[in-house]
Amino acid sequence: MSEDSIFTRIMNGEIPSDKVYEDDDCICIKDIAPKAPVHLLLIPRKPIPRLVDATAEDQALLGKLMVKAGEIANEHGVGDAFRLIVNNGEQAGQTVFHLHLHILGGKLFSESQLGF
Ligand code: AMP
């Protein structure tokens, strides 16, 4: 069996985190190395390694994460301007192989800037 991801360990309380939201399906924590004044990670409890590993069975969960991301962005005062980023695969910058949505806001993002 593969090892638990750092995010699963956070959910299990084995590693501390700055949690801003949680429910039965997901948690949201502050990123430990923020790239913007608001930098949150919305993480499903289900340990889907990458977005590409999600299946039709995960459709409702992924939809919920999108809606929840908007709500959380609103609650953190960045509902009018934020970026939602999912890095899929090492070459795309993914370092934790447990699906997560980066919610970034509170700074001006240039039009052409794809990364953060
Ligand atoms: P990614 O590179 O898309 O896989 O994003 C992983 C993110 O997790 C990075 O932005 C890290 O700063 C963040 N991260 C890693 N470890 C922790 C942790 N213990 N608590 C909060 N954020 C973390």
Side-chain angles (χ1 to χ4, degrees):
M1 218 176 88
S2 60
E3 263 180 36
D4 284 344
S5 74
I6 192 159
F7 294 154
T8 294
R9 295 177 66 201
I10 284 173
M11 287 173 210
N12 291 342
E14 293 165 31
I15 294 175
S17 69
D18 203 340
K19 203 182 294 172
V20 302
Y21 176 82
E22 72 177 318
D23 65 25
D24 288 348
D25 297 315
C26 58
I27 69 163
C28 187
I29 62 172
K30 291 188 180 173
D31 196 293
I32 203 167
K35 305 291 192 301
V38 175
H39 188 172
L40 304 170
L41 303 172
L42 183 56
I43 311 161
R45 291 192 187 276
K46 182 174 178 182
I48 301 165
R50 304 167 301 168
L51 180 62
V52 77
D53 299 312
T55 67
E57 190 184 291
D58 302 312
Q59 203 164 300
L61 175 62
L62 299 191
K64 174 173 177 172
L65 292 177
M66 295 293 280
V67 174
K68 199 49 79 182
E71 287 174 9
I72 291 171
N74 252 335
E75 283 162 16
H76 287 262
V78 296
D80 285 332
F82 67 95
R83 280 194 174 180
L84 205 54
I85 293 176
V86 176
N87 295 321
N88 183 98
E90 205 174 322
Q91 296 299 308
Q94 186 174 5
T95 57
V96 178
F97 287 81
H98 182 145
L99 179 65
H100 52 283
L101 280 59
H102 293 261
I103 302 168
L104 292 142
K107 75 173 202 182
L108 200 58
F109 294 100
S110 79
E111 259 177 52
S112 59
Q113 184 192 353
L114 281 173
F116 56 83

